Amino acid sequence: MKKKFYITTPIYYTNQAPHIGTAYTTVAADVLARYHRKLGEEVFFLTGTDEHGEKIAQAAEKAGKTPQEFVDKIVKSFKKAWEKLNIEYSDFIRTTDERHKKGVEKFLLKLKESGKIYQDEYRGLYCIGCEKFITKKELINGKCPDHQKEPKLISETNYFFKLNDFLPQVKKLIESDKLIIEPKERKKEVLSLLKQDLGNFSISRQNVKWGIDLPFDKEQKTYVWVEALQNYITAIGYKDDSKKFNKYWPADLHLIAKDIVKFHAIFWPALLLAIGLKLPKKIFVHGYLTINGQKMSKSLGNVVDPIYLVDKYGADTIRYFLLKEISFGQDGDFSIKRLEERYNSDLANGLGNLVSRVLTLSEKAGVILSNSEESDKEFNSEIRLVQEKYNKAMEEIKFNDALESIWQLISFCDECIEKNKPWELVENNQDKAKEVLSQLLTTIREIALLLEPFMPETSEEILKQIKQNKKTEALFPRL
Ligand code: ME8
């Protein structure tokens, strides 16, 4: 049986169109999904949109639309952006989908049955931008640091989940890496959060109109975060497709940024434990894309439009830049200047130049790459070394190391060209010229195959140019 790989992105809020920060996670997930497909695994790659709650209702009102009309339009802009960026998702879940609502109802009824829910009065501060309750301690100058807005004082009757009952178990699972949290600093951060008094967790809101009714109290809407987390199971048939559900759950990887760690690494596992479902295997937490050091965010208004970028620079350049420029897991600044520099040095001069030089010389020497081409020892061992590095980096989700290993092959080819001077060999030693150029073409084929998850269009174009239309999976072994 094929190994499965279930990977998710967060579902993004539909108060505004996507930006390059949301594209960052989605591109990263797409690269991993493509890589695991290449390994022959059965991949399910889920993304989608988070469409309920006060924040969306307010944005719709401001635009003079009903919430549904409003989100329908925004969802189109997400789908368009993902198409432009060549994101090959398996499914796109919307929290306004019937399948999602039905799944959430089933989940909440189970949660109620577990006896871990009770009603209580809530008085406290709420940040609509974060869609979460916030403590005074978290505020800076009386404002939410992420949204630069004062929270609202709320006093209402809510249903609460007995989060505290599950925290010791969650802690153990994280400590023992049964639930892996990466990078290590984030695991530490979650474990220290677990030492604080987190209190119980409100799962409903009384005065919110735009949301999913609690199945056991229609006067209340499900708290937007509780239903959002459910998307990871409702999309794979939690309600009524047990075959599909059992095939893919638990998720192999939830990819998120550090803003939503608490929800994913503490609340989500606790909710799953309460109703007896397995926990995701790994949560990988990446850093923020910043603009002049400040987090790029819809609420701060410093966002960059991915569609504009793709139209100007091409999808592959953006995909490459995002994953090469910033070490995945750390924060990193997004700048057009750096993007253009990287494009010129790595893509046009590095990769593009190599391919066009070798192709021109090969045509002159009449060399065509056949599938049975055997590499010579030196080339072969370099290719294997790079494959090893690349696979290790991909397993560890270190995209820039994986890309660096590909560029190692590019430098290897450049050095070989400098050493052998094939342009001279073509004139005075045809046999040697053919040998050298065949090896170079074989290596370029390998470069194109390794590049495919990151730069699918470029990879296809190179394979076409070297007349290797078929994707030769055998050249991409798991080492
Ligand atoms: O939090 N840098 O939605 P959201 C890097 N609906 N990644 C960024 C980013 C930045 N500047 N800005 C956004 C929500 N992201 C909830 C999620 S999931 C069950 C519910 C990415 O639209 C990153 O993945 O605010 C971050 O975690 C996510 O978008 C937040 O998206």
Side-chain angles (χ1 to χ4, degrees), residues 22 63 80 92 110 160 193 205 224 280 305 327 350 353 399-400 436 448 461 477:
T22 38
K80 184 172 168 204
F92 188 105
K110 288 230 169 217
F160 284 82
L193 267 176
R205 295 289 316 280
V224 64
D305 175 10
S327 160
N353 201 14
F399 297 116
N400 51 358
V436 170
E461 183 57 33

Side-chain angles (χ1 to χ4, degrees), residues 10-13 19 21-22 24-25 50 225 228-229 231-232 256-257 259-260 264 286-289 295-296 298:
I11 48 170
Y12 306 111
Y13 285 128
H19 57 83
T22 38
Y24 184 51
T25 321
D50 193 353
W225 259 106
L229 290 163
N231 90 87
Y232 301 132
I256 58 168
D259 47 349
I260 51 180
H264 283 81
H286 64 71
Y288 289 149
L289 226 57
K295 184 191 174 196
M296 187 188 298
K298 290 175 265 203

Side-chain angles (χ1 to χ4, degrees), residues 70-117:
F70 183 76
V71 293
D72 285 350
K73 188 159 171 249
I74 300 282
V75 167
K76 279 197 189 125
S77 65
F78 272 92
K79 288 194 171 166
K80 184 172 168 204
W82 299 163
E83 194 187 324
K84 288 241 172 201
L85 278 161
N86 281 319
I87 306 294
E88 279 186 353
Y89 51 77
S90 318
D91 201 349
F92 188 105
I93 180 104
R94 300 182 54 179
T95 55
T96 49
D97 287 349
E98 257 331 280
R99 58 175 173 159
H100 179 70
K101 292 184 193 164
K102 293 272 183 303
V104 170
E105 278 168 14
K106 176 176 168 183
F107 188 94
L108 289 169
L109 287 171
K110 288 230 169 217
L111 200 61
K112 182 95 180 7
E113 268 168 37
S114 74
K116 298 292 179 188
I117 284 182

Side-chain angles (χ1 to χ4, degrees), residues 24 183 284-288 321-332 397-401:
Y24 184 51
F284 190 98
V285 187
H286 64 71
Y288 289 149
F321 177 70
L322 288 176
L323 299 180
K324 180 71 189 25
E325 180 72 1
I326 302 158
S327 160
F328 204 61
Q330 311 296 314
D331 290 353
I397 321 190
K398 291 185 173 157
F399 297 116
N400 51 358
D401 287 357

